[in-house]
Amino acid sequence: MRVLLVEDDRMIGASVQRGLRRDGIAVDWVQDGSAAESALASTPYDCVLLDLGLPRKDGIEVLRSLRAKRNTVPVIVVTARDVVPARITGLDAGADDYVVKPFDLDELAARIRAVVRRREGRSASRIEHQGLSLDPVTREAHLHGELLALSAREFAVLEALASRPGAILSRQQLEDRIYGWGDEVDSNAVEVFIHALRRKLGADFIRTVRGMGYMLPRSP
Ligand code: CA
């Protein structure tokens, strides 16, 4: 997958480029609106990450002229914190999604995969449970339609529990699901992941069965 990153902040740009590359995404980085237009005119991208406040030509202008040319490449708008009008303007101008600075790189990568998949009209075999939806192919989790930012191991724990609602999985069983051979395992790693998942899903989503393990109740 090839992504055009349009970001004039060098620190953010460098870290996003590094982070996405680590996820196996090819990233071309430009730092102003005119350079973005040249890149878009010459290269087919799978997705564009577009900062709105840019030198030479601002992000909204770039987006509007892109859509005016009938270019339908998925665009994720990047906005500063709490700038609701900019977000709305971005979506109205044809953006597919937005992220707010500071954002989590895993979540950004997941959103990129999501807009690309949506554009391709693909679907996958999902695991559904109580408003939770897990996509084992893309490793994305949604709760009531909202994308959850989960680490790979948090996803694996949740996937193990959600694929068998009502079944109790011991700490050892969960460890076996999330660690490979030779991985170093902290003794309380599973508890840490469960804690993180409860923070994201709500305290009651995963039940502790004392002395036995964890489960997702069949009904709330
Ligand atoms: Ca900027």
Side-chain angles (χ1 to χ4, degrees):
M1 188 185 323
R2 189 162 179 185
V3 165
L4 179 66
L5 167 64
V6 190
E7 173 60 75
D8 61 316
D9 182 309
R10 284 169 181 275
M11 253 172 56
I12 295 175
S15 91
V16 170
Q17 186 176 46
R18 209 171 34 240
L20 294 181
R21 279 182 174 164
R22 211 167 32 217
D23 255 24
I25 298 172
V27 182
D28 296 342
W29 175 22
V30 296
Q31 301 184 18
D32 68 69
S34 304
E37 293 202 317
S38 319
L40 284 161
S42 62
T43 310
Y45 289 99
D46 296 295
C47 182
V48 181
L49 292 177
L50 184 62
D51 182 35
L52 290 186
L54 290 170
R56 301 185 67 187
K57 190 167 225 179
D58 80 32
I60 290 293
E61 267 185 84
V62 172
L63 179 56
R64 286 203 176 112
S65 78
L66 188 66
R67 294 309 187 218
K69 290 182 194 125
R70 304 260 176 261
N71 187 328
T72 60
V73 62
V75 173
I76 299 176
V77 156
V78 180
T79 66
R81 195 203 295 261
D82 295 335
V83 190
V84 176
R87 247 179 278 164
I88 293 168
T89 311
L91 292 170
D92 283 345
D96 297 84
D97 200 357
Y98 64 86
V99 290
V100 179
K101 293 177 189 174
F103 48 80
D104 179 85
L105 278 175
D106 289 337
E107 184 188 348
L108 180 64
R111 283 178 185 267
I112 291 171
R113 288 193 296 269
V115 293
V116 169
R117 199 181 56 247
R118 230 180 289 148
R119 184 56 53 100
E120 291 172 354
R122 263 191 287 140
S123 64
S125 58
R126 290 174 168 276
I127 299 167
E128 311 273 354
H129 178 76
Q130 311 285 358
L132 175 72
S133 171
L134 300 177
D135 186 334
V137 176
T138 60
R139 322 295 295 169
E140 283 174 14
H142 288 81
L143 185 64
H144 303 300
E146 291 281 318
L147 183 68
L148 294 171
L150 301 184
S151 73
R153 282 179 173 153
E154 287 165 9
F155 186 97
V157 168
L158 192 54
E159 187 183 23
L161 291 166
S163 37
R164 292 174 63 200
I168 300 167
L169 295 182
S170 69
R171 197 173 78 179
Q172 185 61 53
Q173 285 172 313
L174 288 171
E175 271 181 16
D176 292 346
R177 288 291 292 265
I178 56 180
Y179 290 104
W181 291 341
D183 280 342
E184 219 177 296
V185 184
D186 286 340
S187 60
N188 65 342
V190 167
E191 282 89 326
V192 171
F193 294 133
I194 295 284
H195 177 79
L197 286 169
R198 282 182 173 145
R199 211 157 28 79
K200 294 168 184 177
L201 293 160
D204 302 329
F205 205 89
I206 300 172
R207 189 166 297 169
T208 301
V209 184
R210 247 201 311 168
M212 299 182 74
Y214 303 93
M215 64 176 284
L216 296 194
R218 263 189 245 270
S219 52

